[in-house]
Amino acid sequence: MLKLADHWVWDSWYATDDDGRHHAFFLRASRALQEEGRRHQRATIGHAVSDDLTNWTLLPDALVFADAPAWDDQATWTGSVVREDSGRWRMFYTGVSRSEEGKVQRIGSAVSDDLTVWHREPGPQVEVDPAHYERFREGTGWFDEACRDPWVYRGEDGWHMLFTARVDGPEPARERGVVGHAVSTDLETWEVRPPLSRPDALGFGQVEVTQLHQVDGQWLMLFCCGQGEAADARRALEESGDNYVVPVELPLTGIDIAKARPFEHESLYAARLHDVDGQTVIIGFRNIEDGEFVGELTDPIPVRWDGEKLVRR
């Protein structure tokens, strides 16, 4: 769907404007880095538009890392876009800093009137609260302080944010990934609350790139986790696919992560659900194929909910 000759493309998120055009925002980094593992600390947020989710026109980057010193002066990572009551658009995104060697993640936002020109808001707005979530320190089994991939949605009682996080505790490192939670009345001031999920023997060390979406009348939480970062009992299931869905009910009060089931695909990662022409599709990036990182977005894949899993239509 979207392949750049000079840049890798990975995590993406979407918005649809008043004219029905689809806007894709995505992480990108130059292939001149040669080693794809270096892309994370060089990521900027790209932007493209399409009328059909298949043919795309590349636009200037939506957001790049800030001038130092700043909380997001190393790289800008995955987020989501919502529309304020005023009609203005707001993008929530993840940032990391050079002073912390990219190990501590925080969430801030930028605003736009047209989805094209974005202006940073003072930030960060959400960061780890040690009363509920694990802080970065050596010996935890992880290389970072997880507070990223914000998914923001409007609930009956205000705005809610889901984000990638981990909790501290006696459980093995690959079981401690949780769905972080924060709430706001104005999209600017946020209260960090306890996680919506708990560590589980069938859980994950990373609950990445969460999204809420309704498919065939069922609300689902979509997320991803690489097999090497899932709990031992989860890996023993030998499931096919790194994107998972959990059926949920709104208002969202809790998520049983053990009920997660994979969407089967050989390499799809950081997938998103999106509606086009009355049909739900899933789009993500091609990750590892034949031992090599691909780094391009897939064509839309029509999907349906079969009562237990998300499957191809």
Side-chain angles (χ1 to χ4, degrees), residues 74-127:
Q74 175 75 53
T76 50
W77 291 348
T78 309
S80 61
V81 173
V82 296
R83 199 165 197 180
E84 301 178 351
D85 292 335
S86 66
R88 184 176 67 169
W89 300 90
R90 185 179 290 260
M91 179 190 297
F92 290 89
Y93 68 96
T94 310
V96 292
S97 71
R98 297 180 185 183
S99 64
E100 295 162 326
E101 299 179 332
K103 295 178 180 179
V104 177
Q105 302 156 9
R106 298 178 177 88
I107 295 167
S109 68
V111 295
S112 173
D113 292 324
D114 60 4
L115 286 170
T116 300
V117 179
W118 294 88
H119 302 280
R120 275 181 171 81
E121 292 284 271
Q125 292 166 283
V126 174
E127 52 190 311

Side-chain angles (χ1 to χ4, degrees), residues 33-50:
L33 292 168
Q34 297 184 7
E35 299 175 15
E36 65 87 10
R38 300 172 61 195
R39 60 189 161 90
H40 297 289
Q41 299 301 330
R42 301 293 191 276
T44 60
I45 297 175
H47 183 198
V49 295
S50 172

